[in-house]
Amino acid sequence: MKVTVIDYGLSNLLSVQHAFAHFGAEVQVTSSPADVLAADALVLPGVGAFKDGMAGLERLGLIEPILQKAAAGTPLLGICLGMQMLFDESDEFGLHKGLGLIPGRVEKIPALDTDGDPQRVPHISWNGMWPAGG
């Protein structure tokens, strides 16, 4: 399988590239809209701020190709910031629009948990996720 990793200027591309190659994937790293449109599978990695990530995608003309491929059913994996940008919006450093592929808003982790205990931020851990109101 050929995996296309999207380079918009904010990610650890080498780690992602090596991980997929380790499992036998042919990996292409690109910032080209044409390459994204030709992809068999897409990976949107990322490290940094939501606003900067979306600005990078916009500057390179990658938003529409990503949306087209997602609508066509092309597998799309978001990693870290890349996963966050799949949502409608984020309130990180102000309210910013995302790709809108997953309904919802990325919100800051509250300073206190539901029991009133302090939460560590940055929060690096495995946790469960539940839909709002669920």
Side-chain angles (χ1 to χ4, degrees):
M1 169 183 260
K2 184 176 181 181
V3 175
T4 300
V5 178
I6 301 169
D7 178 6
Y8 56 95
L10 291 177
S11 57
N12 184 348
L13 298 170
L14 196 56
S15 293
V16 173
Q17 183 178 7
H18 285 181
F20 279 95
H22 177 78
F23 290 103
E26 178 186 343
V27 183
Q28 173 187 29
V29 177
T30 187
S31 57
S32 163
D35 289 344
V36 170
L37 288 170
D40 297 328
L42 291 169
V43 178
L44 184 61
V47 176
F50 190 97
K51 177 183 175 182
D52 296 336
M54 288 303 299
L57 292 177
E58 178 70 32
R59 183 179 82 269
L60 294 167
L62 294 168
I63 292 175
E64 281 307 313
I66 292 169
L67 296 177
Q68 287 177 29
K69 293 300 282 187
T74 301
L76 170 60
L77 172 66
I79 300 173
C80 198
L81 175 59
M83 178 65 172
Q84 293 178 31
M85 293 189 306
L86 298 178
F87 283 84
D88 289 325
E89 59 190 10
S90 171
D91 66 6
E92 181 183 37
F93 303 117
L95 189 60
H96 304 285
K97 183 179 175 192
L99 294 168
L101 295 170
I102 301 174
R105 177 187 292 178
V106 178
E107 296 180 350
K108 181 178 180 181
I109 295 173
L112 303 176
D113 67 16
T114 56
D115 296 324
D117 296 322
Q119 297 200 86
R120 293 176 19 197
V121 177
H123 184 82
I124 302 171
S125 183
W126 290 95
N127 292 90
M129 291 179 64
W130 297 271

